[in-house]
Amino acid sequence: MTNPLGNTNRNRGPGLPTPPSGWPVGSYPTYAEAQKAVDYLADNQFPVQNVTIVGVDLMQVERVLYRLTWGKVIGGGMVSGAWLGLFLGLLLSLFTTGGAVGPLIVGLVGGVIFGVISTSIPYAATRGQRDFASTMQLVAGRYDVLCEPKAAEQARDMLARLAI
């Protein structure tokens, strides 16, 4: 996560990736459990600025949502284009002196055409090599909570009392 107060590790330079430091005080199978542990420390007045959550054994996971067909591609393009076209038609109708229906219809038709073209060309370019939609996630096999050595023993003792 980001630090709202800026870069606390000033000797490495701004924005450079640095390996985590500290002693392990807890290990959890999910990020939610590691977050709960750090929240417990914070709720009990522990100086959490000494704590880091580290994802270990990182994996890139691609979850397949559904099969793509020409019907789904064109339908999705029509819907997204229609929303964009209605928005642009509404903006256009604010600046025209005539009725608002004409600009809305022009925006809607133009948006649908644009949406179909902008989704069909990339799908056709794949030539059937990727006929599915998916989402990507970066997940870890486990999440370790590290703490600076000066406060690690106290953090370990506190987390031993937490039943997750």
Side-chain angles (χ1 to χ4, degrees):
M1 291 290 158
T2 59
N3 181 355
L5 302 177
N7 186 8
T8 58
N9 195 359
R10 298 187 199 287
N11 59 348
R12 295 265 187 164
L16 296 176
T18 58
S21 63
W23 293 352
V25 294
S27 186
Y28 304 92
T30 66
Y31 178 77
E33 290 175 285
Q35 188 177 22
K36 182 178 177 183
V38 174
D39 188 48
Y40 174 80
L41 293 173
D43 291 345
N44 287 285
Q45 310 308 313
F46 183 82
V48 290
Q49 63 272 19
N50 297 318
V51 174
T52 305
I53 298 174
V54 179
V56 180
D57 297 330
L58 295 180
M59 298 173 271
Q60 180 176 316
V61 178
E62 181 176 10
R63 301 192 193 282
V64 177
L65 301 174
Y66 53 87
R67 182 176 183 269
L68 282 178
T69 62
W70 273 107
K72 287 181 182 177
V73 170
I74 291 172
M78 290 176 70
V79 170
S80 64
W83 279 112
L84 177 65
L86 283 176
F87 175 71
L88 292 176
L90 182 63
L91 286 178
L92 187 60
S93 71
L94 294 174
F95 299 107
T96 58
T97 56
V101 176
L104 284 175
I105 292 174
V106 168
L108 180 64
V109 171
V112 167
I113 292 170
F114 175 78
V116 168
I117 291 171
S118 67
T119 56
S120 297
I121 291 174
Y123 182 67
T126 65
R127 295 185 181 158
Q129 294 299 309
R130 188 166 171 88
D131 283 340
F132 60 91
S134 63
T135 62
M136 296 288 258
Q137 284 183 307
L138 189 64
V139 296
R142 74 172 195 275
Y143 297 87
D144 290 344
V145 176
L146 306 181
C147 184
E148 293 300 320
K150 63 184 175 191
E153 187 176 338
Q154 179 188 3
R156 191 176 298 119
D157 292 344
M158 290 174 73
L159 290 177
R161 291 188 294 257
L162 174 65
I164 292 185

